[in-house]
Amino acid sequence: MTLANWRKALETFLNDWQGRDEVVGALVCGSYVTGHPSERSDIDVHIILSNDVKWRERGNQIVDGFLIEYFANPPGQIRRYFQDDFNKHRTMSMVQFQTGQILFDYTGIIKELKLEAYAWQEKNYETINKTVLELKKYGLWDMLDNTKDCYEQKRGDFIFVYHHALATLFMEYGQFLNVDTIPTYQIHAYLVDPIYLQKYMKSAFPDEHFKQMFLHALKESNTEQMLESLEALVSYVLKQMGGFCIDDWHVKSPIEG
């Protein structure tokens, strides 16, 4: 297997789908289209079904040594993915359609979905309301307090707890800044690799000071310095969020239901 042969494997895979009456289009996306695939990259394929189809399918198939991950959906389901991703501050489905290559499009629906994907990505996320923001600030303080407790007890899971705290902090601060949600395994690439930004259509992280502090914290190996780095990061983020003091902290809000 060589990376150059991926299109041949894709054509072989599509032979089982393209002739079906309910299939109206297909789009390929991912690293083989946007560039810089690795030996572990899969070929992502969206198969578009007709509007009257009442089912969807997701699966994987190895063809000529290439792992093909496919998603078969009617257009309405794709639109629901756009909405759901936007609600969760994600852009995965939109970026796939924006950067993907149309393989065939019998009805023009993929062109429509591409335009809709661009429109979704131009929308602004809602600002976090005051009550939710206060709860998030408390959550960050509590996370740091639990990490300190883990360190002081010399527990064997401190390193795990520390890195989990860093991931949580990045996610919460990113949401506060209205930054797209970044998968944990891609955070480092997002912060340091300009190719990542281009490939996934991301803007650079807007807080350079936090970025440098965070990258420094990722490299720490001494447990005492790790805790100091985390505490500095949490203190900085809480200040950016408007400040926080645990003494007399309280939140009043309507009951549910």
Side-chain angles (χ1 to χ4, degrees):
M1 184 190 79
T2 63
L3 296 182
N5 294 329
W6 70 273
R7 287 193 177 274
K8 181 179 178 182
L10 178 59
E11 290 175 4
T12 300
F13 168 78
L14 287 174
N15 285 336
D16 293 334
W17 286 92
Q18 193 164 0
R20 299 186 188 183
D21 292 339
E22 69 272 23
V23 175
V24 298
L27 172 141
V28 60
C29 53
S31 297
Y32 284 99
V33 176
T34 58
H36 305 282
S38 72
E39 293 290 342
R40 291 195 172 274
S41 295
D42 52 29
I43 303 171
D44 298 307
V45 184
H46 281 279
I47 298 167
I48 309 303
L49 308 174
S50 58
N51 283 314
D52 58 345
V53 170
K54 303 302 181 184
W55 53 269
R56 57 182 169 169
E57 182 176 328
R58 176 176 178 173
N60 294 278
Q61 187 174 336
I62 297 176
V63 180
D64 297 336
F66 292 90
L67 177 61
I68 296 176
E69 184 171 9
Y70 66 92
F71 313 85
N73 295 278
Q77 185 62 53
I78 297 295
R79 292 181 172 117
R80 283 188 282 274
Y81 291 147
F82 290 163
Q83 174 77 68
D84 185 57
D85 275 356
F86 177 78
N87 292 343
K88 296 177 180 176
H89 289 208
R90 300 184 312 203
T91 61
M92 181 178 66
S93 60
M94 293 88 106
V95 169
Q96 286 181 337
F97 272 81
Q98 289 176 72
T99 61
Q101 293 180 0
I102 297 175
L103 300 170
F104 59 93
D105 188 12
Y106 299 145
T107 64
I109 186 60
I110 298 182
K111 290 181 181 178
E112 291 182 26
L113 292 171
K114 273 180 165 284
L115 291 174
E116 292 176 27
Y118 278 104
W120 273 107
Q121 193 151 5
E122 291 176 356
K123 292 177 180 287
N124 295 320
Y125 299 123
E126 292 185 8
T127 303
I128 301 172
N129 68 53
K130 185 176 180 180
T131 298
V132 172
L133 179 59
E134 284 301 316
L135 291 172
K136 286 182 176 294
K137 289 194 289 185
Y138 171 77
L140 293 178
W141 178 90
D142 188 55
M143 177 188 72
L144 176 61
D145 195 54
N146 289 332
T147 307
K148 287 180 178 180
D149 186 55
C150 182
Y151 172 80
E152 290 164 359
Q153 294 187 41
K154 295 181 171 53
R155 283 172 24 197
D157 59 348
F158 170 75
I159 293 177
F160 171 79
V161 172
Y162 169 78
H163 285 286
H164 183 268
L166 285 179
T168 300
L169 179 63
F170 185 90
M171 178 186 67
E172 296 289 9
Y173 189 42
Q175 187 176 16
F176 171 75
L177 296 175
N178 276 336
V179 172
D180 296 336
T181 299
I182 307 296
T184 303
Y185 71 96
Q186 293 180 348
I187 289 175
H188 187 265
Y190 166 62
L191 293 177
V192 304
D193 187 357
I195 292 176
Y196 177 92
L197 300 180
Q198 180 181 2
K199 182 175 179 179
Y200 293 100
M201 303 179 69
K202 303 293 185 187
S203 299
F205 193 77
D207 188 333
E208 183 66 22
H209 184 63
F210 174 88
K211 169 185 168 180
Q212 295 303 326
M213 291 176 68
F214 188 85
L215 290 172
H216 178 76
L218 285 178
K219 297 178 181 179
E220 288 287 9
S221 58
N222 177 276
T223 55
E224 181 179 358
Q225 293 175 353
M226 289 165 74
L227 187 61
E228 290 177 358
S229 293
L230 179 62
E231 186 165 13
L233 275 166
V234 172
S235 297
Y236 175 79
V237 168
L238 290 177
K239 183 178 179 180
Q240 299 304 112
M241 288 181 167
F244 181 83
C245 180
I246 190 61
D247 184 27
D248 199 35
W249 177 86
H250 63 279
V251 170
K252 182 182 290 186
S253 60
I255 61 173
E256 297 178 348

